[in-house]
mmCIF file of all heavy atoms in Angstrom:
data_model
loop_
_atom_site.group_PDB
_atom_site.id
_atom_site.type_symbol
_atom_site.label_atom_id
_atom_site.label_comp_id
_atom_site.label_asym_id
_atom_site.label_seq_id
_atom_site.Cartn_x
_atom_site.Cartn_y
_atom_site.Cartn_z
ATOM 1 N N GLY A 73 0.799 -1.208 0.000
ATOM 2 C CA GLY A 73 0.000 0.000 0.000
ATOM 3 C C GLY A 73 0.832 1.258 0.000
ATOM 4 O O GLY A 73 0.344 2.328 -0.343
ATOM 5 N N THR A 74 2.129 1.135 0.362
ATOM 6 C CA THR A 74 2.989 2.310 0.435
ATOM 7 C C THR A 74 3.614 2.641 -0.912
ATOM 8 O O THR A 74 3.443 3.741 -1.425
ATOM 9 C CB THR A 74 4.082 2.097 1.497
ATOM 10 O OG1 THR A 74 3.473 1.818 2.753
ATOM 11 C CG2 THR A 74 4.938 3.328 1.634
ATOM 12 N N TRP A 75 4.338 1.707 -1.504
ATOM 13 C CA TRP A 75 4.992 2.043 -2.769
ATOM 14 C C TRP A 75 3.975 2.202 -3.898
ATOM 15 O O TRP A 75 4.170 3.010 -4.806
ATOM 16 C CB TRP A 75 6.076 1.035 -3.136
ATOM 17 C CG TRP A 75 5.672 -0.411 -3.207
ATOM 18 C CD1 TRP A 75 5.832 -1.354 -2.241
ATOM 19 C CD2 TRP A 75 5.061 -1.076 -4.314
ATOM 20 N NE1 TRP A 75 5.366 -2.562 -2.672
ATOM 21 C CE2 TRP A 75 4.886 -2.425 -3.941
ATOM 22 C CE3 TRP A 75 4.651 -0.661 -5.582
ATOM 23 C CZ2 TRP A 75 4.308 -3.368 -4.785
ATOM 24 C CZ3 TRP A 75 4.074 -1.596 -6.431
ATOM 25 C CH2 TRP A 75 3.909 -2.934 -6.032
ATOM 26 N N LEU A 76 2.867 1.472 -3.836
ATOM 27 C CA LEU A 76 1.847 1.634 -4.879
ATOM 28 C C LEU A 76 1.169 3.002 -4.755
ATOM 29 O O LEU A 76 0.893 3.669 -5.762
ATOM 30 C CB LEU A 76 0.815 0.517 -4.793
ATOM 31 C CG LEU A 76 -0.258 0.505 -5.878
ATOM 32 C CD1 LEU A 76 0.360 0.512 -7.267
ATOM 33 C CD2 LEU A 76 -1.189 -0.687 -5.716
ATOM 34 N N GLU A 77 0.923 3.434 -3.522
ATOM 35 C CA GLU A 77 0.371 4.778 -3.317
ATOM 36 C C GLU A 77 1.336 5.822 -3.866
ATOM 37 O O GLU A 77 0.921 6.830 -4.454
ATOM 38 C CB GLU A 77 0.129 5.042 -1.827
ATOM 39 C CG GLU A 77 -0.958 4.198 -1.181
ATOM 40 C CD GLU A 77 -2.352 4.765 -1.390
ATOM 41 O OE1 GLU A 77 -2.505 5.690 -2.208
ATOM 42 O OE2 GLU A 77 -3.279 4.256 -0.756
ATOM 43 N N GLY A 78 2.642 5.609 -3.677
ATOM 44 C CA GLY A 78 3.626 6.554 -4.184
ATOM 45 C C GLY A 78 3.585 6.664 -5.702
ATOM 46 O O GLY A 78 3.689 7.766 -6.259
ATOM 47 N N ILE A 79 3.427 5.532 -6.374
ATOM 48 C CA ILE A 79 3.338 5.542 -7.834
ATOM 49 C C ILE A 79 2.069 6.246 -8.292
ATOM 50 O O ILE A 79 2.085 7.078 -9.208
ATOM 51 C CB ILE A 79 3.381 4.101 -8.381
ATOM 52 C CG1 ILE A 79 4.747 3.469 -8.098
ATOM 53 C CG2 ILE A 79 3.080 4.086 -9.879
ATOM 54 C CD1 ILE A 79 4.821 1.994 -8.430
ATOM 55 N N VAL A 80 0.948 5.915 -7.654
ATOM 56 C CA VAL A 80 -0.337 6.536 -8.019
ATOM 57 C C VAL A 80 -0.277 8.045 -7.797
ATOM 58 O O VAL A 80 -0.752 8.838 -8.621
ATOM 59 C CB VAL A 80 -1.494 5.905 -7.216
ATOM 60 C CG1 VAL A 80 -2.792 6.678 -7.449
ATOM 61 C CG2 VAL A 80 -1.672 4.447 -7.603
ATOM 62 N N ASN A 81 0.314 8.465 -6.680
ATOM 63 C CA ASN A 81 0.442 9.906 -6.401
ATOM 64 C C ASN A 81 1.287 10.607 -7.465
ATOM 65 O O ASN A 81 0.976 11.732 -7.878
ATOM 66 C CB ASN A 81 1.065 10.127 -5.022
ATOM 67 C CG ASN A 81 0.059 9.949 -3.910
ATOM 68 O OD1 ASN A 81 -1.141 9.875 -4.153
ATOM 69 N ND2 ASN A 81 0.540 9.866 -2.684
ATOM 70 N N ALA A 82 2.370 9.943 -7.890
ATOM 71 C CA ALA A 82 3.225 10.548 -8.911
ATOM 72 C C ALA A 82 2.459 10.728 -10.214
ATOM 73 O O ALA A 82 2.551 11.780 -10.861
ATOM 74 C CB ALA A 82 4.459 9.672 -9.139
ATOM 75 N N VAL A 83 1.690 9.732 -10.587
ATOM 76 C CA VAL A 83 0.889 9.820 -11.814
ATOM 77 C C VAL A 83 -0.190 10.893 -11.685
ATOM 78 O O VAL A 83 -0.463 11.647 -12.626
ATOM 79 C CB VAL A 83 0.259 8.451 -12.135
ATOM 80 C CG1 VAL A 83 -0.779 8.575 -13.250
ATOM 81 C CG2 VAL A 83 1.334 7.447 -12.535
ATOM 82 N N THR A 84 -0.787 10.983 -10.514
ATOM 83 C CA THR A 84 -1.905 11.899 -10.302
ATOM 84 C C THR A 84 -1.462 13.351 -10.216
ATOM 85 O O THR A 84 -2.129 14.250 -10.745
ATOM 86 C CB THR A 84 -2.657 11.528 -9.006
ATOM 87 O OG1 THR A 84 -3.044 10.153 -9.068
ATOM 88 C CG2 THR A 84 -3.897 12.391 -8.819
ATOM 89 N N HIS A 85 -0.323 13.614 -9.577
ATOM 90 C CA HIS A 85 0.034 14.997 -9.231
ATOM 91 C C HIS A 85 1.266 15.537 -9.942
ATOM 92 O O HIS A 85 1.675 16.660 -9.655
ATOM 93 C CB HIS A 85 0.256 15.097 -7.726
ATOM 94 C CG HIS A 85 -0.939 14.712 -6.916
ATOM 95 N ND1 HIS A 85 -2.132 15.390 -6.980
ATOM 96 C CD2 HIS A 85 -1.122 13.692 -6.025
ATOM 97 C CE1 HIS A 85 -3.009 14.824 -6.156
ATOM 98 N NE2 HIS A 85 -2.425 13.795 -5.567
ATOM 99 N N ARG A 86 1.865 14.790 -10.872
ATOM 100 C CA ARG A 86 3.061 15.302 -11.540
ATOM 101 C C ARG A 86 2.714 16.539 -12.373
ATOM 102 O O ARG A 86 1.551 16.777 -12.736
ATOM 103 C CB ARG A 86 3.700 14.247 -12.439
ATOM 104 C CG ARG A 86 2.878 13.880 -13.669
ATOM 105 C CD ARG A 86 3.755 13.301 -14.773
ATOM 106 N NE ARG A 86 4.553 14.317 -15.423
ATOM 107 C CZ ARG A 86 5.404 14.073 -16.421
ATOM 108 N NH1 ARG A 86 5.586 12.845 -16.852
ATOM 109 N NH2 ARG A 86 6.085 15.071 -16.980
ATOM 110 N N ALA A 87 3.733 17.315 -12.693
ATOM 111 C CA ALA A 87 3.552 18.496 -13.548
ATOM 112 C C ALA A 87 3.682 18.045 -15.003
ATOM 113 O O ALA A 87 4.793 17.875 -15.506
ATOM 114 C CB ALA A 87 4.576 19.564 -13.208
ATOM 115 N N TYR A 88 2.558 17.856 -15.666
ATOM 116 C CA TYR A 88 2.576 17.342 -17.032
ATOM 117 C C TYR A 88 3.028 18.390 -18.045
ATOM 118 O O TYR A 88 3.264 18.052 -19.203
ATOM 119 C CB TYR A 88 1.196 16.798 -17.401
ATOM 120 C CG TYR A 88 0.910 15.443 -16.782
ATOM 121 C CD1 TYR A 88 0.238 15.336 -15.567
ATOM 122 C CD2 TYR A 88 1.341 14.277 -17.398
ATOM 123 C CE1 TYR A 88 -0.012 14.106 -14.984
ATOM 124 C CE2 TYR A 88 1.107 13.032 -16.832
ATOM 125 C CZ TYR A 88 0.424 12.951 -15.633
ATOM 126 O OH TYR A 88 0.199 11.722 -15.067
ATOM 127 N N ASN A 89 3.150 19.628 -17.617
ATOM 128 C CA ASN A 89 3.612 20.673 -18.539
ATOM 129 C C ASN A 89 5.132 20.697 -18.663
ATOM 130 O O ASN A 89 5.675 21.409 -19.509
ATOM 131 C CB ASN A 89 3.115 22.048 -18.078
ATOM 132 C CG ASN A 89 3.658 22.418 -16.706
ATOM 133 O OD1 ASN A 89 3.655 21.589 -15.805
ATOM 134 N ND2 ASN A 89 4.115 23.649 -16.537
ATOM 135 N N LEU A 90 5.842 19.931 -17.814
ATOM 136 C CA LEU A 90 7.300 19.885 -17.874
ATOM 137 C C LEU A 90 7.735 18.788 -18.838
ATOM 138 O O LEU A 90 7.412 17.620 -18.647
ATOM 139 C CB LEU A 90 7.887 19.619 -16.485
ATOM 140 C CG LEU A 90 7.668 20.715 -15.431
ATOM 141 C CD1 LEU A 90 8.325 20.318 -14.125
ATOM 142 C CD2 LEU A 90 8.234 22.054 -15.921
ATOM 143 N N ASN A 91 8.475 19.182 -19.863
ATOM 144 C CA ASN A 91 8.973 18.224 -20.843
ATOM 145 C C ASN A 91 10.414 17.840 -20.515
ATOM 146 O O ASN A 91 11.136 18.546 -19.826
ATOM 147 C CB ASN A 91 8.905 18.823 -22.253
ATOM 148 C CG ASN A 91 7.474 19.135 -22.657
ATOM 149 O OD1 ASN A 91 6.571 18.343 -22.385
ATOM 150 N ND2 ASN A 91 7.267 20.285 -23.303
ATOM 151 N N GLY A 92 10.827 16.706 -21.031
ATOM 152 C CA GLY A 92 12.211 16.284 -20.847
ATOM 153 C C GLY A 92 12.456 15.494 -19.578
ATOM 154 O O GLY A 92 13.614 15.183 -19.257
ATOM 155 N N ASP A 93 11.426 15.184 -18.837
ATOM 156 C CA ASP A 93 11.577 14.385 -17.617
ATOM 157 C C ASP A 93 10.391 13.445 -17.524
ATOM 158 O O ASP A 93 9.331 13.684 -18.101
ATOM 159 C CB ASP A 93 11.639 15.290 -16.388
ATOM 160 C CG ASP A 93 12.175 14.556 -15.151
ATOM 161 O OD1 ASP A 93 12.560 13.373 -15.293
ATOM 162 O OD2 ASP A 93 12.195 15.164 -14.075
ATOM 163 N N ASP A 94 10.555 12.350 -16.797
ATOM 164 C CA ASP A 94 9.498 11.347 -16.649
ATOM 165 C C ASP A 94 9.377 10.931 -15.189
ATOM 166 O O ASP A 94 10.284 11.173 -14.386
ATOM 167 C CB ASP A 94 9.821 10.092 -17.478
ATOM 168 C CG ASP A 94 9.947 10.385 -18.957
ATOM 169 O OD1 ASP A 94 8.925 10.738 -19.572
ATOM 170 O OD2 ASP A 94 11.069 10.261 -19.499
ATOM 171 N N ILE A 95 8.282 10.300 -14.865
ATOM 172 C CA ILE A 95 8.176 9.613 -13.581
ATOM 173 C C ILE A 95 9.151 8.441 -13.626
ATOM 174 O O ILE A 95 9.164 7.669 -14.589
ATOM 175 C CB ILE A 95 6.743 9.115 -13.335
ATOM 176 C CG1 ILE A 95 5.791 10.307 -13.190
ATOM 177 C CG2 ILE A 95 6.685 8.228 -12.091
ATOM 178 C CD1 ILE A 95 4.327 9.906 -13.135
ATOM 179 N N ARG A 96 9.987 8.310 -12.610
ATOM 180 C CA ARG A 96 10.966 7.233 -12.587
ATOM 181 C C ARG A 96 10.880 6.484 -11.255
ATOM 182 O O ARG A 96 10.729 7.096 -10.201
ATOM 183 C CB ARG A 96 12.386 7.786 -12.782
ATOM 184 C CG ARG A 96 12.588 8.493 -14.102
ATOM 185 C CD ARG A 96 14.063 8.626 -14.457
ATOM 186 N NE ARG A 96 14.806 9.419 -13.491
ATOM 187 C CZ ARG A 96 14.942 10.749 -13.571
ATOM 188 N NH1 ARG A 96 14.355 11.420 -14.536
ATOM 189 N NH2 ARG A 96 15.660 11.402 -12.683
ATOM 190 N N ILE A 97 10.994 5.171 -11.327
ATOM 191 C CA ILE A 97 11.040 4.324 -10.135
ATOM 192 C C ILE A 97 12.438 3.734 -10.071
ATOM 193 O O ILE A 97 12.857 3.010 -10.981
ATOM 194 C CB ILE A 97 9.991 3.205 -10.194
ATOM 195 C CG1 ILE A 97 8.590 3.808 -10.355
ATOM 196 C CG2 ILE A 97 10.047 2.340 -8.939
ATOM 197 C CD1 ILE A 97 7.520 2.789 -10.680
ATOM 198 N N ILE A 98 13.182 4.073 -9.028
ATOM 199 C CA ILE A 98 14.586 3.678 -8.907
ATOM 200 C C ILE A 98 14.724 2.786 -7.675
ATOM 201 O O ILE A 98 14.415 3.213 -6.551
ATOM 202 C CB ILE A 98 15.497 4.910 -8.767
ATOM 203 C CG1 ILE A 98 15.154 5.944 -9.859
ATOM 204 C CG2 ILE A 98 16.965 4.518 -8.840
ATOM 205 C CD1 ILE A 98 15.599 7.339 -9.550
ATOM 206 N N MET A 99 15.173 1.555 -7.875
ATOM 207 C CA MET A 99 15.231 0.590 -6.773
ATOM 208 C C MET A 99 16.674 0.285 -6.397
ATOM 209 O O MET A 99 17.494 -0.060 -7.253
ATOM 210 C CB MET A 99 14.508 -0.691 -7.169
ATOM 211 C CG MET A 99 13.033 -0.472 -7.489
ATOM 212 S SD MET A 99 12.171 -1.970 -7.981
ATOM 213 C CE MET A 99 12.159 -2.830 -6.397
ATOM 214 N N TYR A 100 16.980 0.429 -5.112
ATOM 215 C CA TYR A 100 18.278 0.069 -4.551
ATOM 216 C C TYR A 100 18.074 -1.062 -3.546
ATOM 217 O O TYR A 100 16.951 -1.461 -3.252
ATOM 218 C CB TYR A 100 18.923 1.271 -3.848
ATOM 219 C CG TYR A 100 19.237 2.428 -4.767
ATOM 220 C CD1 TYR A 100 18.345 3.485 -4.913
ATOM 221 C CD2 TYR A 100 20.437 2.476 -5.483
ATOM 222 C CE1 TYR A 100 18.634 4.556 -5.751
ATOM 223 C CE2 TYR A 100 20.731 3.542 -6.311
ATOM 224 C CZ TYR A 100 19.829 4.579 -6.445
ATOM 225 O OH TYR A 100 20.109 5.631 -7.279
ATOM 226 N N ASP A 101 19.189 -1.568 -3.030
ATOM 227 C CA ASP A 101 19.103 -2.679 -2.083
ATOM 228 C C ASP A 101 18.359 -2.281 -0.814
ATOM 229 O O ASP A 101 17.661 -3.103 -0.209
ATOM 230 C CB ASP A 101 20.508 -3.159 -1.732
ATOM 231 C CG ASP A 101 20.495 -4.507 -1.029
ATOM 232 O OD1 ASP A 101 19.759 -5.395 -1.485
ATOM 233 O OD2 ASP A 101 21.224 -4.669 -0.035
ATOM 234 N N ASP A 102 18.510 -1.023 -0.412
ATOM 235 C CA ASP A 102 17.933 -0.610 0.870
ATOM 236 C C ASP A 102 16.823 0.428 0.750
ATOM 237 O O ASP A 102 16.303 0.890 1.767
ATOM 238 C CB ASP A 102 19.034 -0.046 1.772
ATOM 239 C CG ASP A 102 19.699 1.198 1.172
ATOM 240 O OD1 ASP A 102 19.522 1.438 -0.050
ATOM 241 O OD2 ASP A 102 20.379 1.918 1.917
ATOM 242 N N ARG A 103 16.441 0.814 -0.490
ATOM 243 C CA ARG A 103 15.410 1.840 -0.628
ATOM 244 C C ARG A 103 14.830 1.834 -2.040
ATOM 245 O O ARG A 103 15.436 1.297 -2.978
ATOM 246 C CB ARG A 103 15.978 3.229 -0.324
ATOM 247 C CG ARG A 103 17.019 3.726 -1.314
ATOM 248 C CD ARG A 103 17.789 4.910 -0.750
ATOM 249 N NE ARG A 103 18.737 5.493 -1.697
ATOM 250 C CZ ARG A 103 19.925 5.001 -1.983
ATOM 251 N NH1 ARG A 103 20.335 3.875 -1.399
ATOM 252 N NH2 ARG A 103 20.730 5.607 -2.848
ATOM 253 N N ILE A 104 13.671 2.446 -2.168
ATOM 254 C CA ILE A 104 13.043 2.657 -3.460
ATOM 255 C C ILE A 104 12.700 4.137 -3.568
ATOM 256 O O ILE A 104 12.210 4.736 -2.604
ATOM 257 C CB ILE A 104 11.790 1.766 -3.625
ATOM 258 C CG1 ILE A 104 11.145 1.967 -5.003
ATOM 259 C CG2 ILE A 104 10.769 2.023 -2.531
ATOM 260 C CD1 ILE A 104 10.063 0.944 -5.298
#
């Protein structure tokens, strides 16, 4: 419920007027 909420929030609230960048999910051994 935590990381999925984070993804949904990013999709819902990102600034779609900004070009040249995307929503990114970056996974490390100890964090996401």
Side-chain angles (χ1 to χ4, degrees):
T74 303
W75 55 262
L76 184 54
E77 293 276 11
I79 294 172
V80 172
N81 281 348
V83 170
T84 305
H85 301 298
R86 68 157 286 180
Y88 284 94
N89 62 315
L90 295 181
N91 298 319
D93 196 4
D94 300 293
I95 294 172
R96 299 198 298 271
I97 302 169
I98 311 159
M99 299 179 70
Y100 297 95
D101 194 44
D102 62 344
R103 66 195 184 281
I104 181 170

